[in-house]
Amino acid sequence: MLVIALPGAARIAAGIAQCLGADWSELAVHRFPDGESLVRIDVPVKGRCVVFAGSLNDPDARTLPLLFAADCARELGASQVGLAAPYLAYLRQDRRFNPGEAVSSRSYARLLSSSLDFLATVDPHLHRWRSLGEIYPIRAQAVSAAPAIAPWIADHVADPLLIGPDAESAPWVEQAALLCGAPWAVMEKVRHGDRQVSVRAPAGVDWKSRTPVLLDDIVSSGATLLAAVEALARAGARPPVCVAVHALPEGDAVWKLMAAGVTRFASCDSIAHASNAIGLAPLLAQAVRRLASVPVSSTHPERHPHESQ
């Protein structure tokens, strides 16, 4: 097996390779003055399972080099081509909300699947899709970050109370709570727009004896977490800790959270950020090992075209 780091992903690629006992290299990418890209794989791939590693934040810029590299690896004789993407983009648009709109989550899945044999990712933001398998015809596995987050919470937060900011977070908040032996609760959220939400703290919770740990999958504008922090303050809770799986904070989003009373903002290392404190490489390596062990068969999309839903 060979792990190849996509641009900016050397650290997590090296971690995945170490867990797998595999070699790793970095993908060389050259940008021409007209904006086109040239990719180069600098190590032999013939007969090897090649796993590209790196998140797909800023996906419009990152996707074409990945597809070129995957196609190149296959042309050079790779036995399998996979992707370990801690953060997977284009899952938000999972239906046609207005006439004429593209269902981009499905379109993007078709695009990636055309060049890959398998895909591993962490806590994708699935909403109306029940699983990756609904839109990805290749072997695909979504890994929960909870087994990595729980030990960090146990080591860094005394008497934690895990809090999900909305109902969607309940399954993985519950999993993290069970793994670190802590109670948990979920807040009620109403979204009024892309950046406007209201959150209400649940009743019947002893806020004074434990430290709230707000868990969210993606932090971008920070509006949900900020509303949750303010709701906790109104409920008389201790100052909270915030943990995000994928840290994509805009501008001063983290500063606003700290100003509102958050004692620490920590994130998993799916996307490089100053708050990174929780490593995901071991979880991704386990998923890659399982996916790569499945023999290459008729699961490849070239043999089984995706059917529209």
Side-chain angles (χ1 to χ4, degrees):
M1 189 175 292
L2 170 67
V3 179
I4 298 181
L6 298 176
R11 182 174 179 178
I12 198 159
I16 292 170
Q18 182 178 16
C19 292
L20 292 170
D23 299 329
W24 78 280
S25 179
E26 293 189 64
L27 180 69
V29 179
H30 175 73
R31 303 281 184 185
F32 291 103
D34 62 359
E36 292 187 0
S37 300
L38 171 68
V39 301
R40 187 182 70 248
I41 299 173
D42 290 326
V43 291
V45 303
K46 187 175 178 61
R48 307 177 81 174
C49 174
V50 175
V51 181
F52 293 97
S55 281
L56 294 175
N57 55 304
D58 192 15
D60 291 4
R62 295 178 186 272
T63 300
L64 273 183
L66 165 63
L67 296 178
F68 294 155
D71 193 51
C72 178
R74 204 177 295 282
E75 287 183 348
L76 294 174
S79 61
Q80 293 190 76
V81 179
L83 172 64
Y87 175 76
L88 182 63
Y90 279 115
L91 287 167
R92 176 184 292 107
Q93 185 79 1
D94 52 13
R95 59 173 290 188
R96 211 179 312 279
F97 296 95
N98 297 292
E101 287 183 345
V103 184
S104 51
S105 59
R106 191 161 53 200
S107 300
Y108 194 66
R110 291 185 185 129
L111 183 64
L112 291 188
S113 297
S114 67
S115 297
L116 301 170
D117 294 302
F118 62 85
L119 162 69
T121 190
V122 179
D123 285 323
H125 194 69
L126 300 173
H127 183 39
R128 292 172 184 85
W129 301 122
R130 291 168 296 180
S131 69
L132 287 176
E134 284 198 70
I135 50 174
Y136 281 86
I138 57 176
R139 287 166 273 150
Q141 182 172 351
V143 177
S144 170
I149 291 172
W152 186 90
I153 292 173
D155 289 342
H156 293 85
V157 183
D159 301 317
L161 167 63
L162 277 60
I163 305 292
D166 52 37
E168 291 179 16
S169 65
W172 69 278
V173 171
E174 179 182 16
Q175 183 185 6
L178 291 172
L179 289 171
C180 66
W184 65 282
V186 172
M187 307 182 94
E188 298 178 23
K189 180 178 82 170
V190 177
R191 182 172 291 280
H192 306 288
D194 289 345
R195 299 171 185 273
Q196 294 182 327
V197 297
S198 58
V199 175
R200 185 170 63 184
V205 177
D206 180 7
W207 298 110
K208 304 227 179 248
S209 62
R210 289 185 171 270
T211 300
V213 181
L214 279 163
L215 303 183
D216 208 354
D217 57 350
I218 301 173
V219 174
S220 52
S221 69
T224 295
L225 279 184
L226 185 59
V229 171
E230 292 169 348
L232 288 174
R234 291 193 297 270
R238 294 180 183 179
V241 172
C242 288
V243 177
V245 179
H246 307 297
L248 288 162
E250 299 176 348
D252 58 356
V254 173
W255 179 88
K256 288 180 179 178
L257 289 171
M258 305 302 286
V262 171
T263 59
R264 180 168 184 179
F265 178 83
S267 66
C268 298
D269 63 354
S270 60
I271 299 164
H273 188 262
S275 63
N276 288 167
I278 303 165
L280 296 175
L283 296 176
L284 283 163
Q286 290 174 13
V288 165
R289 185 179 288 111
R290 286 191 292 268
L291 292 165
S293 67
V294 178
V296 178
S297 66
S298 60
T299 58
H300 193 275
E302 290 179 355
R303 302 180 182 86
H304 269 270
H306 178 71
E307 296 181 359
S308 299
Q309 300 180 25

PDB file of all heavy atoms in Angstrom, residues 162 169-179 182 184:
ATOM      1  N   LEU A 162     -21.550  16.251  28.150  1.00  0.00           N
ATOM      2  CA  LEU A 162     -21.490  16.447  26.708  1.00  0.00           C
ATOM      3  C   LEU A 162     -22.827  16.972  26.188  1.00  0.00           C
ATOM      4  O   LEU A 162     -23.884  16.443  26.534  1.00  0.00           O
ATOM      5  CB  LEU A 162     -21.123  15.137  26.009  1.00  0.00           C
ATOM      6  CG  LEU A 162     -19.620  14.811  25.948  1.00  0.00           C
ATOM      7  CD1 LEU A 162     -19.020  14.689  27.346  1.00  0.00           C
ATOM      8  CD2 LEU A 162     -19.356  13.551  25.144  1.00  0.00           C
ATOM      9  N   SER A 169     -27.069  16.018  16.075  1.00  0.00           N
ATOM     10  CA  SER A 169     -25.821  15.629  16.729  1.00  0.00           C
ATOM     11  C   SER A 169     -25.998  14.511  17.747  1.00  0.00           C
ATOM     12  O   SER A 169     -25.018  13.964  18.239  1.00  0.00           O
ATOM     13  CB  SER A 169     -25.198  16.845  17.422  1.00  0.00           C
ATOM     14  OG  SER A 169     -26.030  17.287  18.483  1.00  0.00           O
ATOM     15  N   ALA A 170     -27.239  14.148  18.062  1.00  0.00           N
ATOM     16  CA  ALA A 170     -27.503  13.210  19.156  1.00  0.00           C
ATOM     17  C   ALA A 170     -26.763  11.880  19.041  1.00  0.00           C
ATOM     18  O   ALA A 170     -26.150  11.419  20.024  1.00  0.00           O
ATOM     19  CB  ALA A 170     -29.010  12.979  19.299  1.00  0.00           C
ATOM     20  N   PRO A 171     -26.775  11.193  17.891  1.00  0.00           N
ATOM     21  CA  PRO A 171     -26.140   9.869  17.845  1.00  0.00           C
ATOM     22  C   PRO A 171     -24.665   9.863  18.186  1.00  0.00           C
ATOM     23  O   PRO A 171     -24.198   9.023  18.954  1.00  0.00           O
ATOM     24  CB  PRO A 171     -26.391   9.423  16.391  1.00  0.00           C
ATOM     25  CG  PRO A 171     -27.589  10.181  15.954  1.00  0.00           C
ATOM     26  CD  PRO A 171     -27.462  11.521  16.625  1.00  0.00           C
ATOM     27  N   TRP A 172     -23.908  10.819  17.619  1.00  0.00           N
ATOM     28  CA  TRP A 172     -22.475  10.757  17.898  1.00  0.00           C
ATOM     29  C   TRP A 172     -22.109  11.423  19.220  1.00  0.00           C
ATOM     30  O   TRP A 172     -21.114  11.078  19.841  1.00  0.00           O
ATOM     31  CB  TRP A 172     -21.667  11.314  16.718  1.00  0.00           C
ATOM     32  CG  TRP A 172     -21.766  12.768  16.452  1.00  0.00           C
ATOM     33  CD1 TRP A 172     -22.736  13.425  15.783  1.00  0.00           C
ATOM     34  CD2 TRP A 172     -20.814  13.766  16.826  1.00  0.00           C
ATOM     35  NE1 TRP A 172     -22.469  14.762  15.728  1.00  0.00           N
ATOM     36  CE2 TRP A 172     -21.294  15.003  16.344  1.00  0.00           C
ATOM     37  CE3 TRP A 172     -19.601  13.739  17.504  1.00  0.00           C
ATOM     38  CZ2 TRP A 172     -20.606  16.191  16.535  1.00  0.00           C
ATOM     39  CZ3 TRP A 172     -18.914  14.931  17.691  1.00  0.00           C
ATOM     40  CH2 TRP A 172     -19.414  16.137  17.210  1.00  0.00           C
ATOM     41  N   VAL A 173     -22.926  12.373  19.706  1.00  0.00           N
ATOM     42  CA  VAL A 173     -22.709  12.908  21.051  1.00  0.00           C
ATOM     43  C   VAL A 173     -22.934  11.806  22.083  1.00  0.00           C
ATOM     44  O   VAL A 173     -22.159  11.641  23.035  1.00  0.00           O
ATOM     45  CB  VAL A 173     -23.634  14.109  21.325  1.00  0.00           C
ATOM     46  CG1 VAL A 173     -23.558  14.527  22.793  1.00  0.00           C
ATOM     47  CG2 VAL A 173     -23.252  15.287  20.435  1.00  0.00           C
ATOM     48  N   GLU A 174     -23.979  11.022  21.872  1.00  0.00           N
ATOM     49  CA  GLU A 174     -24.245   9.897  22.778  1.00  0.00           C
ATOM     50  C   GLU A 174     -23.090   8.898  22.758  1.00  0.00           C
ATOM     51  O   GLU A 174     -22.656   8.398  23.808  1.00  0.00           O
ATOM     52  CB  GLU A 174     -25.538   9.194  22.378  1.00  0.00           C
ATOM     53  CG  GLU A 174     -25.875   7.997  23.265  1.00  0.00           C
ATOM     54  CD  GLU A 174     -27.123   7.270  22.831  1.00  0.00           C
ATOM     55  OE1 GLU A 174     -27.578   7.484  21.691  1.00  0.00           O
ATOM     56  OE2 GLU A 174     -27.647   6.474  23.634  1.00  0.00           O
ATOM     57  N   GLN A 175     -22.564   8.617  21.566  1.00  0.00           N
ATOM     58  CA  GLN A 175     -21.462   7.669  21.465  1.00  0.00           C
ATOM     59  C   GLN A 175     -20.230   8.176  22.216  1.00  0.00           C
ATOM     60  O   GLN A 175     -19.595   7.426  22.965  1.00  0.00           O
ATOM     61  CB  GLN A 175     -21.100   7.427  19.997  1.00  0.00           C
ATOM     62  CG  GLN A 175     -19.995   6.389  19.813  1.00  0.00           C
ATOM     63  CD  GLN A 175     -19.554   6.248  18.365  1.00  0.00           C
ATOM     64  OE1 GLN A 175     -19.992   6.999  17.490  1.00  0.00           O
ATOM     65  NE2 GLN A 175     -18.687   5.289  18.094  1.00  0.00           N
ATOM     66  N   ALA A 176     -19.887   9.452  22.030  1.00  0.00           N
ATOM     67  CA  ALA A 176     -18.729  10.011  22.726  1.00  0.00           C
ATOM     68  C   ALA A 176     -18.936  10.001  24.241  1.00  0.00           C
ATOM     69  O   ALA A 176     -18.013   9.711  25.003  1.00  0.00           O
ATOM     70  CB  ALA A 176     -18.467  11.441  22.238  1.00  0.00           C
ATOM     71  N   ALA A 177     -20.165  10.297  24.669  1.00  0.00           N
ATOM     72  CA  ALA A 177     -20.461  10.304  26.103  1.00  0.00           C
ATOM     73  C   ALA A 177     -20.307   8.910  26.707  1.00  0.00           C
ATOM     74  O   ALA A 177     -19.736   8.747  27.796  1.00  0.00           O
ATOM     75  CB  ALA A 177     -21.871  10.838  26.336  1.00  0.00           C
ATOM     76  N   LEU A 178     -20.802   7.912  26.008  1.00  0.00           N
ATOM     77  CA  LEU A 178     -20.678   6.539  26.505  1.00  0.00           C
ATOM     78  C   LEU A 178     -19.215   6.123  26.586  1.00  0.00           C
ATOM     79  O   LEU A 178     -18.797   5.450  27.544  1.00  0.00           O
ATOM     80  CB  LEU A 178     -21.447   5.576  25.600  1.00  0.00           C
ATOM     81  CG  LEU A 178     -22.975   5.697  25.631  1.00  0.00           C
ATOM     82  CD1 LEU A 178     -23.604   4.816  24.551  1.00  0.00           C
ATOM     83  CD2 LEU A 178     -23.512   5.305  27.010  1.00  0.00           C
ATOM     84  N   LEU A 179     -18.409   6.541  25.613  1.00  0.00           N
ATOM     85  CA  LEU A 179     -17.005   6.146  25.588  1.00  0.00           C
ATOM     86  C   LEU A 179     -16.187   6.807  26.689  1.00  0.00           C
ATOM     87  O   LEU A 179     -15.183   6.250  27.138  1.00  0.00           O
ATOM     88  CB  LEU A 179     -16.394   6.484  24.219  1.00  0.00           C
ATOM     89  CG  LEU A 179     -16.873   5.611  23.059  1.00  0.00           C
ATOM     90  CD1 LEU A 179     -16.369   6.171  21.729  1.00  0.00           C
ATOM     91  CD2 LEU A 179     -16.408   4.173  23.238  1.00  0.00           C
ATOM     92  N   ALA A 182     -19.575   9.808  30.512  1.00  0.00           N
ATOM     93  CA  ALA A 182     -20.139  11.087  30.940  1.00  0.00           C
ATOM     94  C   ALA A 182     -21.607  11.175  30.541  1.00  0.00           C
ATOM     95  O   ALA A 182     -22.039  10.550  29.569  1.00  0.00           O
ATOM     96  CB  ALA A 182     -19.367  12.247  30.305  1.00  0.00           C
ATOM     97  N   TRP A 184     -24.980  13.139  28.961  1.00  0.00           N
ATOM     98  CA  TRP A 184     -25.095  13.955  27.762  1.00  0.00           C
ATOM     99  C   TRP A 184     -26.516  14.476  27.620  1.00  0.00           C
ATOM    100  O   TRP A 184     -27.450  13.960  28.236  1.00  0.00           O
ATOM    101  CB  TRP A 184     -24.694  13.164  26.522  1.00  0.00           C
ATOM    102  CG  TRP A 184     -25.598  12.011  26.207  1.00  0.00           C
ATOM    103  CD1 TRP A 184     -25.632  10.792  26.815  1.00  0.00           C
ATOM    104  CD2 TRP A 184     -26.630  11.975  25.202  1.00  0.00           C
ATOM    105  NE1 TRP A 184     -26.596   9.997  26.265  1.00  0.00           N
ATOM    106  CE2 TRP A 184     -27.229  10.690  25.276  1.00  0.00           C
ATOM    107  CE3 TRP A 184     -27.097  12.895  24.261  1.00  0.00           C
ATOM    108  CZ2 TRP A 184     -28.275  10.319  24.422  1.00  0.00           C
ATOM    109  CZ3 TRP A 184     -28.141  12.516  23.418  1.00  0.00           C
ATOM    110  CH2 TRP A 184     -28.705  11.240  23.506  1.00  0.00           C
TER     111      TRP A 184
END
